[in-house]
Amino acid sequence: MGFDQLLNDWNEELLEVEGVLEVILILLLLRLLEESEEESASDIKKLLRPWLELGIPLPRVHLVDGNVLQNVVVVQLFDSVAVFKNATNQLRVCAPYMNIVSWGAF
């Protein structure tokens, strides 16, 4: 449950069950987690920008689910998603920054 959803569902029943201080602490922690995820996504975007500008193929891009994109070129960088194109068969793949673990030769 995200920060905005929890804030929208704020009600007396929640306060009675959890207590005011506990709910405030949970809301603050969720907000901090969301901010840290946004920062890491922008960091990955910054690190991928030179690959986009140079057009050099990345030998491998490792994703969270274990998939590996091989021999791909960065085509476009959006706020939360990178678009890669396979250099050999022109297949395009979109990968959220949150799902990218590493890239490079290994």
Side-chain angles (χ1 to χ4, degrees), residues 12-69:
E12 293 295 323
E13 182 181 328
L14 181 63
L15 290 176
E16 290 174 11
V17 172
E18 296 295 331
V20 175
L21 293 177
E22 288 84 0
V23 170
I24 291 172
L25 180 62
I26 291 169
L27 290 173
L28 288 174
L29 289 173
L30 285 172
R31 187 63 180 164
L32 288 172
L33 286 173
E34 284 183 354
E35 287 177 5
S36 67
E37 289 174 356
E38 292 169 2
E39 290 173 4
S40 66
S42 65
D43 289 344
I44 292 174
K45 183 178 177 181
K46 288 177 188 174
L47 292 170
L48 285 174
R49 183 161 305 286
W51 294 94
L52 170 69
E53 292 171 356
L54 295 173
I56 300 171
L58 291 163
R60 290 185 179 87
V61 177
H62 299 273
L63 303 177
V64 171
D65 61 4
N67 288 336
V68 178
L69 306 176

Side-chain angles (χ1 to χ4, degrees), residues 5 9 27-28 30 55 57 69 72 81 106:
Q5 183 182 0
D9 293 338
L27 290 173
L28 288 174
L30 285 172
L69 306 176
V72 292
V81 176
F106 303 102

Side-chain angles (χ1 to χ4, degrees), residues 69-83:
L69 306 176
Q70 294 188 353
N71 198 24
V72 292
V73 177
V74 180
V75 176
Q76 210 163 11
L77 298 172
F78 293 105
D79 288 336
S80 60
V81 176
V83 179

Side-chain angles (χ1 to χ4, degrees), residues 73-105:
V73 177
V74 180
V75 176
Q76 210 163 11
L77 298 172
F78 293 105
D79 288 336
S80 60
V81 176
V83 179
F84 299 99
K85 178 176 70 173
N86 188 306
T88 55
N89 63 8
Q90 304 300 319
L91 179 68
R92 290 180 182 250
V93 176
C94 298
Y97 299 127
M98 304 306 284
N99 290 349
I100 298 173
V101 177
S102 65
W103 59 88

